[in-house]
Amino acid sequence: MLFLGMANAYIMRTNMSIAIVAMVNHTALPKDVPINFTECPGSSFANETAATSHKDGKFVWSSIQQSTILTAFFYGYVVTQIPFGILSKKYGAIYFLGFGMLINSIFGLFVPIAAEHSLFALIVVRFIQGLGEGPIVPCTHAILAKWIPPNERSRMGAFVYAGAQFGTVLAMPISGYLSEHGFSGGWPSIFYVFGVAGTIWSVWFLLTVYNEPDKHPKIPEDEKKYIVTSVWGSGGVSEQNIPWKSIVSSTAFWAILLAHMAQNYGYETLLTQLPTFMHQILHFDIKSNGIYSALPYLAMWIFSMLISVLADAMISSKRFSITMTRRIINTVGQYGPAIALIFASYTGCNQYLTVTLLTIGMGLNGAIYSGFKVNHLDISPRFAGILMSFTNCLANFSGLIAPNVAGLVIHQRPTQAAWRVVFFVAAAVYMLGATVYLIYASGVRQPWDDKRLVNQSKTRRKNQSETTAENGSNRNITSGVTNGVFDATTKH
């Protein structure tokens, strides 16, 4: 259910990227440098302007306005991250996740109506959708922390979060098809179909999923005992105040945070801008655009599954520590797409070489699910949901910047040179985050997460303090006795 929920969430955030290509009248947009379809004379779509101009949409939205529409969702998304991450720790994650996605899905049905009304109305609806989707990642992490034993985290975490790629793979080609052949005039059917599907999933989730093993009515007792013991230790689960100071001062936490921010910048650059790049530079028609835009995410989904098995095998073999495994796997996951973006920016008019490079790069990016993405569970199973709410919130601020930077760079000059700048910036950010993580990441459960270790540390400090005080007292007594003997001897 978490896998399908993640798929549904990414469908809701991805479908606008395809739909907006069909909604906008690209021919009517003012351009300092016109989109020259003869810039790539070898392209099989060299005469696309004449062939498909009748397929332009009705909305004359500039690149900056389009970026605002695409980012409105993410402004709402970041607002609810931290509050619901904290509340899910206290009240459980199921209802926040289920009802949040229900709101997201229902408001998805209102997108066509809002677009017809005004640009402002559309931005508001997308913002509310983002508010509803905000709880999904921190709440998913909180649930995984209670259900998944350490030696299964790479596989299960990758499986659940790879639902994002599965959803993207579904959303892009289906949205491309619906935009041309769907009911209600094409592109509106994208939001109706996926809005209904999301609503069904949300109700099903609320009725069937339980927050933790102890509350599941049908789980066998031995399985329940195994999960609870392996996740929390023999001490079981006990409440503990959130150690904010320790979290903020943790190097392991900062390594995850910076890797997460870098990932979101690069990923959102491609997620929100790839269909536009495919249309403006590679000149794919809308249906082909959906198919080819989905290929990188299909590769990412498949590779994330394969490398997660390798990651767990590395940990189980005892030849690689969890720390070393996370560092190695994450390096592949973030340096891979960075290098691919650099090469892809120099492929010129070769459509299929460009698509191949982006597919390989995004495929390798799937390794991050067995890298920093599940690392919260390693260092702090007790507060994994809260840690994820913080890193995902700040990472999405980074993701918010990405489409705005792209929009500014390509505004009124949608050329290969402009897109090269967009790709280079994303590559540099990827590499920076990966390098920091490679140096500072840890796979060891932090002392502030384990209440027993915290209590042992307090006891040890108390004993040391008492020992110091006792030694000091003994020295005073000895000193007094010595001085007394000295005085008495002197007097004698």
Side-chain angles (χ1 to χ4, degrees):
M1 288 301 295
L2 289 175
F3 167 82
L4 293 175
M6 198 64 62
N8 181 59
Y10 271 74
I11 285 173
M12 290 299 182
R13 69 168 69 183
T14 303
N15 53 19
M16 179 58 79
S17 300
I18 287 289
I20 203 167
V21 177
M23 295 167 73
V24 171
N25 187 333
H26 298 273
T27 306
L29 291 178
K31 304 171 185 70
D32 291 337
V33 180
I35 302 177
N36 182 8
F37 285 100
T38 60
E39 183 180 19
C40 294
S43 170
S44 60
F45 297 94
N47 298 315
E48 188 189 26
T49 302
T52 64
S53 60
H54 65 282
K55 295 182 181 179
D56 268 341
K58 62 184 292 186
F59 302 104
V60 184
W61 294 329
S62 69
S63 295
I64 293 176
Q65 288 175 320
Q66 292 177 53
S67 295
T68 302
I69 294 169
L70 293 171
T71 55
F73 181 97
F74 297 99
Y75 281 110
Y77 182 71
V78 300
V79 169
T80 48
Q81 292 281 311
I82 294 175
F84 287 123
I86 296 172
L87 290 172
S88 68
K89 168 68 178 170
K90 185 174 183 179
Y91 298 107
I94 297 299
Y95 291 111
F96 293 113
L97 198 164
F99 283 111
M101 287 303 299
L102 184 61
I103 291 171
N104 183 6
S105 302
I106 291 174
F107 273 85
L109 299 171
F110 297 152
V111 167
I113 301 171
E116 293 290 345
H117 184 273
S118 67
L119 176 64
F120 177 76
L122 176 59
I123 291 171
V124 170
V125 167
R126 289 293 289 172
F127 177 80
I128 294 173
Q129 281 193 274
L131 289 176
E133 189 167 313
I136 189 166
V137 172
C139 289
T140 294
H141 237 51
I143 295 170
L144 289 176
K146 294 180 179 180
W147 278 94
I148 309 302
N151 64 328
E152 299 178 30
R153 283 174 185 157
S154 298
R155 281 170 290 167
M156 297 302 291
F159 175 77
V160 167
Y161 284 107
Q165 278 62 59
F166 180 76
T168 305
V169 167
L170 284 181
M172 287 189 166
I174 292 176
S175 296
Y177 178 83
L178 290 174
S179 67
E180 285 197 343
H181 306 292
F183 54 91
S184 298
W187 65 263
S189 62
I190 296 171
F191 300 98
Y192 295 140
V193 169
F194 291 130
V196 170
T199 301
I200 293 171
W201 176 88
S202 300
V203 175
W204 186 17
F205 178 84
L206 288 167
L207 293 175
T208 60
V209 176
Y210 293 86
N211 199 59
E212 55 191 79
D214 286 334
K215 295 182 180 179
H216 199 293
K218 297 181 180 180
I219 187 172
E221 192 62 33
D222 57 341
E223 183 180 1
K224 182 196 301 182
K225 183 178 179 181
Y226 167 71
I227 294 173
V228 172
T229 302
S230 61
V231 170
W232 303 106
S234 59
V237 183
S238 58
E239 289 301 318
Q240 179 181 338
N241 293 329
I242 302 171
W244 296 112
K245 183 178 179 180
S246 298
I247 291 173
V248 172
S249 61
S250 171
T251 305
F253 169 73
W254 280 96
I256 296 172
L257 173 61
L258 293 176
H260 202 160
M261 292 178 71
Q263 168 64 22
N264 271 43
Y265 185 94
Y267 186 82
E268 297 300 343
T269 295
L270 288 173
L271 186 67
T272 61
Q273 301 299 317
L274 190 56
T276 302
F277 171 76
M278 294 279 193
H279 177 75
Q280 291 182 346
I281 303 302
L282 301 184
H283 313 315
F284 287 114
D285 62 80
I286 186 67
K287 191 195 304 183
S288 299
N289 194 332
I291 294 171
Y292 288 115
S293 293
L295 284 178
Y297 302 100
L298 176 62
M300 189 175 181
W301 176 39
I302 295 172
F303 187 71
S304 66
M305 295 291 94
L306 297 175
I307 203 165
S308 68
V309 176
L310 174 62
D312 276 341
M314 290 168 67
I315 294 170
S316 298
S317 71
K318 307 297 182 182
R319 286 181 288 182
F320 296 88
S321 66
I322 295 177
T323 298
M324 187 58 65
T325 301
R326 300 286 181 240
R327 289 180 178 181
I328 293 172
I329 298 295
N330 195 76
T331 299
V332 173
Q334 292 192 300
Y335 268 92
I339 295 170
L341 281 170
I342 292 171
F343 280 109
S345 66
Y346 285 104
T347 53
C349 300
N350 193 324
Q351 298 168 308
Y352 300 106
L353 178 59
T354 305
V355 172
T356 299
L357 285 169
L358 292 175
T359 300
I360 293 172
M362 288 302 292
L364 293 174
N365 194 217
I368 59 105
Y369 293 112
S370 299
F372 80 82
K373 198 82 169 186
V374 295
N375 199 194
H376 310 72
L377 305 177
D378 299 322
I379 68 170
S380 179
R382 195 178 304 277
F383 304 109
I386 293 173
L387 296 190
M388 175 56 92
S389 71
F390 271 88
T391 66
N392 203 46
C393 176
L394 295 174
N396 275 280
F397 276 115
S398 173
L400 280 171
I401 297 171
N404 286 314
V405 169
L408 289 171
V409 171
I410 65 175
H411 181 56
Q412 297 187 6
R413 61 184 197 102
T415 62
Q416 289 184 357
W419 278 102
R420 185 175 299 126
V421 173
V422 173
F423 285 174
F424 263 66
V425 172
V429 174
Y430 263 134
M431 289 182 176
L432 177 62
T435 302
V436 171
Y437 189 85
L438 180 62
I439 298 171
Y440 295 107
S442 173
V444 178
R445 186 177 182 184
Q446 301 299 291
W448 43 265
D449 180 77
D450 193 333
K451 191 171 184 179
R452 291 168 300 161
L453 294 178
V454 171
N455 291 336
Q456 288 172 9
S457 178
K458 289 180 179 178
T459 302
R460 193 160 49 246
R461 288 197 299 269
K462 182 180 178 181
N463 291 340
Q464 289 174 348
S465 177
E466 290 175 351
T467 302
T468 302
E470 184 178 345
N471 290 340
S473 176
N474 289 338
R475 282 195 298 271
N476 291 336
I477 293 171
T478 304
S479 175
V481 171
T482 303
N483 290 337
V485 173
F486 176 77
D487 291 343
T489 303
T490 303
K491 288 177 183 178
H492 176 72

